[in-house]
Amino acid sequence: MKLILCGGGWAEKTVIPNKVFESLIKPDKPILYIPQARDRDPADYITCKTWLLGEFKDIKHGEIDTVESLSEVIHKNLSDYAAIFIGGGNTFKLLKELKESGAFNKIQEYINNNGLVYGCSAGACIFGKDIDICLYADPNLVELKDTSGFNSAFGFSLAAHYTNKNAERTQQATDFLTEYSHKEPVIALPEEDSLYINGDTVEVIGTRPYYVFNQGNRMQFEPNVKYKTDEFIRTVKAV
């Protein structure tokens, strides 16, 4: 399993994960881009592709194949792609469409077969245990009932954009995450950091501290420390 789960941001903030992504992909194979977290007409997804090309302007990569409907994923051979990129937007909309289309199970199978996914913001949070963690920032306008994610982050839920807002909004997020952490532990990433899972190693790569919430406690961690998976779980669950 190879996952790069980014806390958000844009190319200026994601230089490190973009370079890691470049090192993992084959430039002669296309990237499958899933922009369905965005609330827009499918015909407008071409503008999302333009955005992603701008984000990846400093790395070598193959063609970008943009999905206009998640039902397309069912009929694709995902092994034909160097990676899947899942963009940001509304986390509940994204997860609902993934599950209703059947793409959720197809992507899960792809991950289990050592596929590479780069998820940004909402596209990262869906790989946590439960996306209810996003309610402090995302409204569940689609009334999604089953909010369980891929649970690829060792039983943690994932929060994005943490500490990138003003002091008041950061405090609101902290209060929510502190209370939520009595349900399950949370890894809260700023826009500059990404949780990088590569087989049996785990590392938060980036330039700013990230935070772990567990049982009402919060602890700050510095990025760019590589762990074995078991060691990482023990370290962050000790909060």
Side-chain angles (χ1 to χ4, degrees):
M1 178 172 66
K2 294 183 177 68
L3 298 173
I4 300 172
L5 305 176
C6 178
W10 54 89
E12 289 79 2
K13 294 185 176 183
T14 57
V15 172
I16 294 175
N18 286 356
K19 285 297 183 182
V20 170
F21 184 62
E22 180 183 30
S23 73
L24 297 172
I25 60 175
K26 296 180 178 180
D28 60 337
K29 296 181 73 174
I31 296 168
L32 186 64
Y33 176 27
I34 295 176
Q36 272 67 29
R38 305 292 296 177
D39 186 16
R40 59 176 65 228
D41 186 278
D44 293 334
Y45 284 135
I46 188 64
T47 62
C48 293
K49 179 178 178 178
T50 301
W51 169 81
L52 186 57
L53 286 169
E55 293 295 290
F56 286 166
K57 62 182 175 60
D58 293 326
I59 69 172
K60 295 178 181 178
H61 62 83
E63 292 294 320
I64 305 293
D65 182 2
T66 306
V67 174
E68 295 187 3
S69 168
L70 281 169
S71 61
E72 296 175 29
V73 176
I74 303 303
H75 305 292
K76 291 182 180 292
N77 182 359
L78 297 184
S79 64
D80 290 339
Y81 293 91
I84 298 173
F85 183 91
I86 307 178
N90 185 279
T91 316
F92 296 94
K93 175 183 182 293
L94 173 61
L95 188 59
K96 183 177 183 181
E97 293 186 20
L98 283 168
K99 289 187 173 181
E100 289 181 347
S101 66
F104 184 94
N105 292 334
K106 187 79 178 277
I107 293 171
Q108 182 68 74
E109 181 181 0
Y110 170 76
I111 295 169
N112 292 345
N113 288 323
N114 207 35
L116 169 62
V117 175
Y118 189 161
C120 184
S121 189
C125 294
I126 58 172
F127 288 94
K129 185 175 182 181
D130 199 300
I131 68 165
D132 268 350
I133 190 63
C134 301
L135 281 171
Y136 72 93
D138 271 356
N140 186 1
L141 299 177
V142 296
E143 299 182 350
L144 177 65
K145 303 301 182 186
D146 178 9
T147 58
S148 57
F150 285 96
N151 198 17
S152 300
F154 324 115
F156 288 78
S157 289
L158 300 176
H161 307 284
Y162 183 62
T163 68
N164 290 105
K165 308 300 182 182
N166 62 37
E168 181 180 2
R169 292 184 65 183
T170 295
Q171 186 58 55
Q172 290 172 348
T174 299
D175 292 343
F176 179 92
L177 298 174
T178 299
E179 181 61 30
Y180 187 94
S181 71
H182 290 286
K183 176 182 176 183
E184 68 227 6
V186 177
I187 298 172
L189 299 169
E191 294 171 357
E192 295 83 358
D193 286 358
S194 298
L195 178 65
Y196 174 37
I197 303 170
N198 185 5
D200 65 350
T201 64
V202 185
E203 185 177 4
V204 174
I205 53 178
T207 59
R208 289 183 57 184
Y210 66 99
Y211 295 82
V212 173
F213 292 79
N214 192 17
Q215 294 298 314
N217 300 311
R218 184 186 80 153
M219 182 173 289
Q220 176 180 309
F221 290 86
E222 295 301 318
N224 307 311
V225 178
K226 184 179 289 187
Y227 300 88
K228 290 291 188 179
T229 299
D230 290 346
E231 180 189 8
F232 178 79
I233 295 171
R234 287 196 305 271
T235 299
V236 295
K237 278 195 173 179
V239 172

